[in-house]
Amino acid sequence: MLLRLFCLTFSLLAGGAAFAKPPTSIPIPQGSGITHVTSVEGIDEYRLPNGLQVLLVPDDSKPTTTVNLTYNVGSRHEGYGETGMAHLLEHLLFKGSPKYPQVWSEFTKRGLAANGSTWLDRTNYFAQFSANDDNLRWYLNWQADAMVNSHIARKDLDSEMTVVRNEMESGENNPGRILFQRTLSAMYEWHNYGKSTIGARSDVENVDIPRLKAFYRRYYQPDNATLIISGKFPRATIMRWINESFGQLKKPARELPKLYTLEPAQDGEREVILRRVGGVPLIYAGYHVPPGPHPDFAAIEVLDLVMGDTPSGRLHKALVEKKLAASTFAFSAGLADPGFAIYGAQLAPEQDIEAARAAMIKTLESVVSEPFTQEELDRARTNWLNGWERAFTDPQVIGVSLSEAVAQGDWRLFFLTRDRVQALKLADLQRVAEQTLLPSNRTLAQYRPTEQPKRAPTPARVDLAKAMSDFKPKAAAERVEVFEASPANIDKRTQRFQVGGIDAAVLPKGTRGEAVQALLTLRFGDEKSLFGKGEVADMLAALIDKGSSRLNRQQVQDRLSELKTEMSVGSGDGRVTVRLVSRREHLPAAIALVAELLRDPALPADALEEIRRRTLSAIEEQRKEPRAVLANALARHGNPYPRGDPRYARTFDEIVADVSAVTVEQLREFHKRFYSARKGEFAAVGDLDVAAVREALRAGFADWTSGADYTRIPRPLVDRPAERMLLNTPDKQNANMAVQLGLPISDTHPDHVALMMANHLLGAGGNSRLWKRIRETDGLSYDVRSGVAWGSLDKRSDWMASAIFAPQNRAKVEAAFREELERALKEGFTAAELQEGQRGLLSFRQLSRAQDGWLTSALANHVYLDRTFARDAEIDAALAKLTLEQVNAALRKYIRPDQFVSGFAGDFKETK
């Protein structure tokens, strides 16, 4: 979605004429040659003499920093035999350089949440961390060094090759992803957009190192990159640090190749059929669309919502509401060259794919006979702009989102597309839809010759200078307060109060765009009264946002759009939860809407059937998936509870039976018996009016005292016999390992902190033993980790470890896992590991407290447990004081391989 804003003139971006005066808050080092280019709505652009583009997005409201380095190279730039090179380089940069040999380890030590991604037009590397000058300077220095000094060595490629293949195979397990790839390959005959970013297996496995190095040296240069820094950073010194790292790189003498391939207009229907084991029927209809910079792409963005939104979208009404499909969607890609729009439908197992296909095509291609209405345009535009605003108000999201605009040719497209959506006329939406949604432009059906073919407009590139010439920027948002996310400051700023049976904790603080997040939990029932009602409770929660006695489903969605609020509803053991992402001025009204929906839900029968079909479709999809099959088997092993108990683990068939049996009458009876505000919690973090929020809670919930009493369902430690399972899932090219161990401690136990650190060193992060052995050294898994699900009220926690891998490598993965675990238990960790682990884990915890969503959940949990963030401060202090003896003792005391319940699921040919 998204993308656009400002315009000086494009000639400034291209390097000509005089430049704007730099803002006084960001000084430029004298003699550096760095030039300030332009400023757009709080984003400042600079250019280094070597060609590096720099975008600074300061926002002190959240004490985190996001650094995103985007290269203008993706699968579009690969030549014959080079498919997958851009993605391979993304992997190999993390293998380090002579100066930075252990990149992943350093991330974990410093508490950096870092990664990279490759797409059609770009590759980017990003890190998010709690604002810290040392980490910022280290990351800038590493990225500058990685740009020109990365190893790109045969030994690293050999060790990473299995990981890349594992990533490739994990995608092969997903029918939706493979169907998407097949659709694009049929849509594009000549352009590289039709090739998978991960590459052809033959190209990836036989890649020539000199050729890969040449690809690296050609594209990984400062004049082909954009450095984006968002969030909180030292404005007085940031340009000096950038100059000290990236400014020392030479401007390359080479010229980048000019890519000129364009896909001709499609001249007839095309069809793709994919047959594999497992999953549910899927239908995709792909259409060629203009490039992201094209003025008409704004209409494509809106068209996605008009067709694919739920419940207002035409596809939802034509397929889901008429019981022809379980769910529908729409997605378009704004790319540098003419891109694509994909419209899709997922079916339940019993639904007719031919009937759904006919209905989908008719809906998409009947825009001439059934033109769009102003109401459809207004609703879709509002929802799109609300999504844009949510992205722009979050410095972590905007820091990464700008990559897509950069890849299209100009970062200001992020704002220009917004302006184009705001100005979109109904006639233009209709025109673009009629030009795009044509049988001859569709990839789905068969070819049919006709005497007078009607074709989509001939693809063409966009003159960016002309496109940007009329662009006018809006005023930048005002700066917001600096917030310190320390436990003491969080507790100091938090206000607690009670409304009826709801205990509330709110943390008012300045945020970009007056954003605020809230979480409401209502609790009810006990293990006896809830016996046999688990699926009814889940279905009821799923229907809460489908209307009230006063508002129908569409009116609820329109009201949420009007309030610029996202709402999600969930359920669990005796509770229903509602999460809101809103704005200061709208949160009280959003709370009032939530109260209406919770107290007086419509529970429409057609919506129940829709959710039932969607749920059954999802279950059918999971039956053959290794991860789901393994998780279900592990959950059932040693489970002592009878069917109907909330703690019982059901088989897939039992889930299907329960879902199929739910009736509207059961939902109404459950709601009447259990739902109320007698017991619950509310938490909110962000820009909020405490008095108004409190009054909204009082008006909505204070007098709602009916419903069943709440008694927490205990989850004591269950003694499960050790077991090793081998589960065969045919035709799945990616396998899963999972290991579980119940622990007789809670998060208040004296050993809690030491075991937390022991697990961190063993399997949590890029510096852990499991990661370095199985991912880095042996190259057997794309993702390997361990973690602890800590219990708070029961003396029970769960330690877990997992890995994904190619089925033929099962024995190697299991052996490596066992060897590393045995080595840790026998030899223990080192003092250096502990020191690095303390630094990294404390940084990660600090980063978490700076995330408003995480903070909201933590506040609500603290209210439920009657805790404050003083407990978090105690854990931080204990982590900092840990001794090596305590950590090694905790590992040996609790991690007992002879008690493991482990499993492997995949296409193991030797397994019967």
Side-chain angles (χ1 to χ4, degrees), residues 456-652:
T458 302
R461 288 193 171 89
V462 175
D463 185 340
L464 271 174
K466 183 178 179 181
M468 301 303 303
S469 62
D470 296 329
F471 171 64
K472 305 298 180 185
K474 296 183 179 180
E478 294 183 5
R479 291 182 60 181
V480 295
E481 69 162 324
V482 176
F483 179 73
E484 178 191 350
S486 66
N489 191 49
I490 292 171
D491 279 338
K492 179 181 178 181
R493 296 282 295 270
T494 299
Q495 301 182 36
R496 297 197 176 206
F497 53 87
Q498 189 171 34
V499 176
I502 296 177
D503 295 311
V506 296
L507 174 56
K509 68 184 187 71
T511 57
R512 189 181 181 122
E514 298 184 335
V516 59
Q517 298 197 37
L519 181 66
L520 172 69
T521 301
L522 301 181
R523 301 181 184 271
F524 47 77
D526 54 34
E527 59 183 288
K528 291 184 178 180
S529 63
L530 293 171
F531 191 92
K533 295 180 173 60
E535 201 60 55
V536 177
D538 291 344
M539 289 282 203
L540 176 57
L543 282 170
I544 288 299
D545 65 349
K546 304 302 184 290
S548 67
S549 62
R550 186 178 67 90
L551 301 173
N552 63 32
R553 181 178 183 179
Q554 187 60 63
Q555 289 170 327
V556 170
Q557 295 303 313
D558 290 345
R559 179 61 173 153
L560 288 169
S561 294
E562 179 185 348
L563 296 175
K564 298 184 177 182
T565 297
E566 282 188 346
M567 171 183 170
S568 57
V569 185
S571 64
D573 287 354
R575 69 180 184 274
V576 59
T577 61
V578 181
R579 181 176 289 275
L580 299 173
V581 180
S582 189
R583 298 288 186 273
R584 175 188 177 91
E585 64 176 311
H586 298 306
L587 181 59
I591 293 172
L593 177 60
V594 169
E596 176 180 345
L597 295 172
L598 286 171
R599 298 184 68 160
D600 189 22
L603 307 181
D606 59 342
L608 171 60
E609 293 307 314
E610 176 189 327
I611 292 170
R612 193 195 315 275
R613 290 191 298 271
R614 185 185 305 158
T615 305
L616 291 174
S617 176
I619 296 167
E620 191 63 28
E621 190 173 22
Q622 293 298 302
R623 281 182 183 272
K624 303 291 175 62
E625 288 299 320
R627 184 187 300 272
V629 170
L630 181 55
N632 185 258
L634 292 175
R636 290 183 54 76
H637 176 71
N639 187 294
Y641 301 105
R643 175 157 162 70
D645 190 288
R647 296 158 293 190
Y648 173 75
R650 297 174 291 172
T651 66
F652 289 117

Side-chain angles (χ1 to χ4, degrees), residues 95-102 145-146 148-152:
K95 303 300 273 188
S97 64
K99 188 176 180 181
Y100 296 89
Q102 299 291 333
D145 184 70
V148 295
N149 294 321
S150 293
H151 288 304
I152 319 298

Side-chain angles (χ1 to χ4, degrees), residues 42-72:
I43 301 178
D44 295 311
E45 178 190 355
Y46 300 84
R47 185 76 67 170
L48 271 61
N50 58 18
L52 180 72
Q53 183 182 52
V54 178
L55 303 179
L56 299 182
V57 193
D59 184 353
D60 292 339
S61 65
K62 185 180 292 186
T64 63
T65 306
T66 299
V67 183
N68 175 28
L69 183 62
T70 300
Y71 292 93
N72 292 303

Side-chain angles (χ1 to χ4, degrees), residues 664-681:
V664 171
E665 290 71 25
Q666 289 176 322
L667 298 176
R668 296 190 186 281
E669 191 279 332
F670 188 96
H671 179 269
K672 181 178 180 181
R673 179 180 177 185
F674 290 103
Y675 269 36
S676 78
R678 296 180 67 174
K679 172 65 176 175
E681 304 88 48

Side-chain angles (χ1 to χ4, degrees), residues 822-863:
E822 291 170 3
R823 184 167 71 89
L825 290 169
K826 180 180 179 180
E827 302 174 5
F829 300 109
T830 66
E833 285 178 298
L834 175 57
Q835 184 179 11
E836 294 166 356
Q838 286 170 315
R839 178 183 178 186
L841 187 51
L842 286 169
S843 294
F844 279 126
R845 287 173 59 81
Q846 185 179 1
L847 176 62
S848 296
R849 289 191 290 266
Q851 314 304 315
D852 289 353
W854 183 93
L855 195 53
T856 304
S857 299
L859 269 181
N861 191 50
H862 281 357
V863 170

